[in-house]
């Protein structure tokens, strides 16, 4: 007994490991600054986040909705990742001016190009509004009543916060609704592309190297924020001028050593660090493996066809990249969780939680039922979750079904319109017309995917969990996916560009025709089944889980008073701190914490899709023409690993040294460490950072755009 208690205590004291956490910048003073200083930080909390004085936060940008960027000049110049600027670069590319392949460099401000719909957001202030949001809720309020009170409070507070200003605001829940914070932000709408390396440099290593260490790509691109003459956000205009920021990040080219303090400041998207053992078991043993297996089948089919034809390769390039990105992430995550014995660790923690409340009747009363309830919800939720996985990763992985799904939405809206209801039929129709479903479509590839996915569906989903129409179709064809696929594809209009677009162009006329289309028929049965028999219960359970998690967090805070808690990532501004750090991925292997240009030449495969190296870079390597960017051994540094806790959305985030100088741009995590979205393993979880010296080298020596460096504050 003593023994187990001892090990349990050990586990709990280890639950916030060094370097874990994505902290709230406005709470650093109260929570982290001592620890940060102990680890080497030379700044004050005020220099990192302040409302009244200029601080680092004024140079951190949420870029294009899902990424981060940093301001590096007093003329609004920003650095982000190549993969964050990718769609902007692609938007400006044509066959003649192929910026994806050749790179792009504005040689003066007149050559910088405006990109529609590209936004840059800067946080003005963050405020704890928990009490105000929950005002009016009483112990006897029903769940529905609580919801409506919270909603209306939020609406009023958001409006109040920005009345009479040009700012925007939003309120988000933290810790499952135990806390609420208000964000006042300034969003710039005129953002122009300044520079991007060729993909052979920015995306060197492609999917093979994605999520992997050692890494060798310069994943950066350069943009500039423009404002009106009053330095305020404005729609694009030729009269706009470069934005004058409140703060500019200095750039250090002095390098770093293993063990040096690092800090990442950015907008991490989503993590779930406080899940129960039931949830982690579901993710690691069921959901991740299923999604990985389904995506693997789909990717293999796409890949085979892409290798056969250039047209297919180009059509499927970005679809493939995005399917592959999370396929690989989930695979790393489930392996990492397994190797770390994550479920057992969660169970031990739950035992510890139970023991901590056992001597206190009040706590027992409040939390005693928590785990049994979670267990009960998850028993049901995991079945629904599997259904949802089959929906999005199997049935809707078939493009024909996915396209037809859009038409089911249109049909519903049309019916409403015909009944005279005020609805959005016309706008939805216009939106779908713009989407160009067939740009990235190849019928023979989709036929193969359809057959493979139907096969998986038949094997994996019991008859009782299938929409009746689909089940009958399967039975009528004796479970023969090939027969089903042949029938569907020879009788549908959804797989031929001309026919499908003709339907869209004259939608009301085709009503009967597409209703007799087998793909439409099956798809609408699927959509109907899911929206009546799966999604409502799924959402109901999610809500219940959220309530239980809310209670679980309260309990943890009450019972483990010494532990510091950070809220899960929710696309809001966070600080993660750690150190430059290498790791040992497996027995007998130890990685270095940095890579150099030498490694690019080692990986070089002439004319390869992923590992070709541009001639100019090979020349610079041959001459060792690295300028001031070489390290002390005369090598050109490329990337490094650190122990900062990051996730999707941290792409493009600045990585600072102890003095608040930029040493790199965050762009990925290591494969062994992608589990950190659910559990942070200090031995394995690393973020991957582009060394700013390689960024500057590419701008200056490779692209000949060194004039940009004149704007920057270089610390030599
Ligand atoms: N894994 C990185 C992230 O999650 C990079 C993705 C883009 N690069 C790629 N090769 N698909 O965003
Ligand atoms: N590449 C990711 C992004 O776009 C960052 C990698 C991660 O998930 O940590 O945000």
């Amino acid at each position: 007994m003593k023994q187990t208690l001892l090990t349990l205590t050990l586990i709990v004291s280890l639950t916030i490991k060094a370097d874990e956490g994505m902290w709230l910048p406005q709470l650093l003073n109260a929570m982290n600054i001592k620890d940060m200083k102990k680890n080497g930080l030379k700044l004050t909390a005020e220099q990192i986040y302040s409302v009244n004085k200029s601080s680092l936060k004024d140079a951190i940008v949420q870029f294009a909705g899902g990424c981060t960027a940093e301001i590096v000049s007093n003329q609004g110049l920003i650095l982000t990742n190549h993969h964050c600027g990718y769609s902007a670069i692609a938007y400006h590319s044509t066959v003649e001016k192929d910026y994806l392949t050749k790179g792009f460099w504005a040689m003066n401000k007149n050559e910088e190009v405006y990109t529609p719909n590209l936004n840059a957001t800067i946080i003005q202030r963050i405020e704890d509004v928990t009490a105000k949001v929950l005002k009016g809720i009483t112990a006897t309020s029903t769940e529905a009543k609580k919801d409506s009170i919270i909603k209306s409070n939020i609406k009023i507070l958001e409006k109040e916060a920005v009345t009479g200003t040009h700012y925007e605001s939003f309120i988000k829940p933290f810790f499952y609704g135990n806390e609420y914070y208000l964000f006042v932000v300034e969003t710039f709408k005129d953002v122009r592309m300044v520079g991007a390396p060729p993909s052979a440099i920015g995306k060197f290593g492609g999917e093979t190297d994605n999520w992997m260490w050692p890494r060798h790509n310069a994943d950066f691109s350069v943009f500039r924020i423009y404002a009106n003459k009053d330095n305020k956000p404005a729609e694009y205009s030729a009269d706009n001028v470069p934005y004058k920021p409140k703060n500019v990040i200095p750039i250090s080219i002095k390098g770093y050593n293993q063990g040096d303090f690092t800090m990442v400041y950015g907008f991490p998207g989503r993590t779930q660090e406080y899940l129960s053992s039931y949830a982690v078991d579901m993710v690691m043993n069921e959901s991740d493996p299923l999604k990985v297996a389904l995506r693997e089948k789909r990717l293999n089919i796409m890949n085979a066809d892409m290798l056969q034809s250039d047209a297919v390769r180009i059509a499927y390039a970005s679809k493939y990249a995005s399917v592959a990105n999370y396929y690989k992430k989930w695979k790393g995550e489930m392996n990492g969780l397994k190797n770390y014995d994550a479920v057992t660790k969660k169970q031990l923690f739950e035992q510890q939680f139970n023991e901590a409340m056992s001597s206190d009747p009040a706590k027992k009363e409040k939390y005693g039922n928590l785990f049994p309830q979670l267990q009960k919800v998850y028993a049901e939720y995991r079945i629904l979750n599997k259904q949802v996985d089959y929906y999005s990763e199997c049935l809707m992985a078939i493009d024909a079904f996915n396209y037809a799904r859009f038409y089911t939405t249109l049909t519903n809206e049309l019916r409403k319109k015909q009944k005279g209801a005020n609805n959005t039929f016309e706008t939805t129709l216009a939106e779908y017309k713009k989407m160009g479903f067939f740009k990235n479509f190849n019928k023979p590839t989709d036929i193969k995917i359809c057959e493979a996915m139907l096969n998986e569906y038949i094997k994996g989903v019991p008859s009782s969990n299938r929409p009746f129409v689909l089940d009958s179709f399967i039975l009528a064809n004796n479970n023969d996916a090939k027969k089903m696929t042949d029938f569907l594809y020879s009788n549908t209009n959804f797989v031929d560009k001309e026919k499908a677009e003709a339907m869209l162009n004259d939608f009301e006329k085709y009503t009967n025709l597409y209703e007799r289309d087998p793909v439409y028929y099956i798809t609408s049965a699927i959509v109907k089944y899911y929206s009546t028999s799966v999604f409502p219960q799924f959402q109901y359970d999610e809500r219940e889980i959220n309530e239980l998690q809310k209670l679980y967090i309260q309990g943890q805070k009450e019972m483990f008073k010494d532990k510091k808690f950070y809220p899960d990532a929710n696309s809001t501004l966070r600080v993660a701190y750690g150190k430059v750090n290498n790791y040992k991925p497996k027995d007998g292997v130890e990685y270095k914490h940095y890579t150099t240009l030498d490694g690019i030449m080692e990986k070089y495969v002439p004319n390869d899709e992923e590992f070709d190296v541009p001639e100019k870079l090979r020349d610079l390597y041959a001459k060792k023409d690295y300028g001031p960017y070489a390290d002390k051994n005369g090598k050109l540094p490329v990337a490094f690993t650190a122990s900062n806790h990051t996730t999707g959305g941290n792409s493009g985030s600045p990585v600072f040294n102890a003095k608040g100088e930029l040493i790199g741009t965050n762009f990925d995590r290591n494969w062994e460490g992608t589990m950190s979205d659910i559990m942070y393993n200090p031995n394995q979880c690393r973020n991957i950072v582009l060394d700013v010296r390689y960024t500057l080298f590419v701008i200056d020596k490779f692209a000949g755009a060194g004039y940009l460096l004149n704007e920057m504050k270089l610390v030599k």
Side-chain angles (χ1 to χ4, degrees), residues 49 211 266 294-295 300 360 378 437 474 535 561 564 583 672 712:
Y49 175 91
W211 297 112
L294 290 169
R295 284 203 175 190
N300 285 340
D360 182 334
Y378 270 97
F437 295 119
I474 291 170
F535 294 139
K561 291 235 155 61
K564 285 192 195 119
Y583 70 107
E672 300 82 358
M712 302 178 189

Side-chain angles (χ1 to χ4, degrees), residues 85 101 120 132 143 156 202 303 316 420 464 486 514 613 623 694:
T101 307
K132 293 179 187 166
E143 290 302 312
I156 295 166
N303 191 34
Y316 277 69
S464 57
D486 287 346
Y514 65 72
V613 178
K623 291 191 211 122
Y694 190 45

Side-chain angles (χ1 to χ4, degrees), residues 25 47-49 55-63 67-72 77-79 120-124 184-186 188 225 243 245-250 263-268 572-575 649-656 660 662 664:
Q47 288 174 298
I48 299 170
Y49 175 91
S55 62
L56 284 185
K57 92 159 196 319
D58 301 316
I60 315 298
V61 176
Q62 190 166 33
F63 182 81
C67 278
T68 307
E70 51 274 11
I71 302 179
V72 292
L77 197 68
I78 55 177
L79 280 181
T121 298
I122 301 172
I123 306 283
Q124 300 305 310
V184 174
V185 306
E186 186 172 37
F188 292 86
I225 301 174
Y243 168 63
K246 287 188 219 152
N247 200 354
V248 175
I249 294 174
M263 178 171 84
V264 176
Y265 208 170
F267 294 89
T572 60
L573 188 62
R574 302 297 176 90
V575 169
N650 270 125
S651 275
S653 298
V655 181
F656 295 106
L662 189 78

Side-chain angles (χ1 to χ4, degrees), residues 147-403:
D147 275 0
S148 83
I149 293 175
I150 289 174
K151 246 194 210 140
S152 94
N153 284 345
I154 285 182
K155 222 168 148 190
I156 295 166
L157 291 165
E158 285 178 341
K159 200 166 157 211
E160 256 175 32
V162 293
T163 321
T165 74
H166 67 283
Y167 297 135
E168 288 157 22
S169 69
F170 53 85
I171 289 172
K172 283 198 178 185
F174 289 69
F175 293 117
Y176 295 93
N178 281 304
E179 291 170 23
Y180 287 85
Y181 288 91
L182 166 82
F183 295 80
V184 174
V185 306
E186 186 172 37
T187 295
F188 292 86
K189 300 185 168 96
D190 184 354
V191 179
R192 302 188 195 171
M193 183 167 81
V194 175
S199 293
I201 288 181
K203 218 187 158 189
F204 179 77
E207 297 313 317
T208 305
D209 273 9
N210 192 22
W211 297 112
M212 299 290 233
W213 182 256
R215 195 58 161 277
H216 293 93
N217 55 321
D219 199 338
F220 80 96
S221 55
V222 188
F223 289 79
R224 192 189 300 281
I225 301 174
Y226 280 77
N228 67 18
K229 298 225 158 67
D230 302 324
N231 207 31
K232 298 237 166 70
E235 295 299 333
Y236 168 78
S237 153
D239 296 336
N240 285 348
V241 292
Y243 168 63
K244 284 187 251 7
K246 287 188 219 152
N247 200 354
V248 175
I249 294 174
I251 298 173
S252 167
I253 58 169
K254 290 198 288 202
Y256 43 79
N257 293 305
Q258 162 86 9
D260 281 0
F261 177 89
T262 55
M263 178 171 84
V264 176
Y265 208 170
F267 294 89
R270 181 165 192 246
T271 59
Q272 299 173 281
E273 311 287 346
Y274 301 97
L275 293 177
S276 65
S277 59
Y278 311 106
V280 175
D281 181 44
M282 180 188 88
V283 170
M284 156 181 137
N285 291 319
E286 202 165 283
S287 184
D288 277 355
L290 174 62
K291 291 187 291 189
V292 164
L294 290 169
R295 284 203 175 190
E296 192 160 280
K297 292 242 151 49
R298 180 155 48 129
L299 287 166
N300 285 340
I301 293 168
M302 284 191 219
N303 191 34
D305 283 10
M306 287 163 79
L307 287 173
Q308 293 287 316
S309 134
D310 275 348
V312 178
R313 180 178 55 78
I314 290 166
Y316 277 69
S318 100
K319 201 186 304 193
Y320 187 89
S322 83
V323 176
N325 194 34
Y326 265 66
Y327 155 75
K328 205 162 173 183
K329 193 240 153 180
W330 290 325
K331 199 166 171 177
E333 180 174 275
M334 74 195 207
N335 289 339
L337 290 171
K338 274 189 196 141
N339 290 339
Y340 199 42
D341 214 354
V343 175
T344 311
K345 285 203 168 62
K346 285 285 185 190
Q347 284 167 343
L348 286 170
F349 180 72
E350 285 158 15
Q351 240 169 288
Q352 173 83 11
F353 185 95
N354 280 334
E355 271 164 44
M357 74 180 167
S358 62
S359 57
D360 182 334
K363 283 187 187 140
K364 245 181 130 169
E365 166 77 29
K366 194 167 173 198
Y367 304 110
N369 230 345
L370 185 58
F371 296 125
Q373 272 179 293
L374 276 166
Q375 181 173 26
K376 191 162 152 259
V377 193
Y378 270 97
E380 177 179 287
Y381 182 71
R382 94 189 257 159
I383 297 167
L384 294 163
N385 190 61
K386 189 167 170 180
Q387 289 266 68
V388 171
D389 285 344
Y390 269 106
Y391 177 80
S392 54
E393 296 295 329
C394 186
L395 295 172
M396 292 308 147
I398 303 164
D399 276 339
F401 285 24
N402 200 24
Y403 296 165

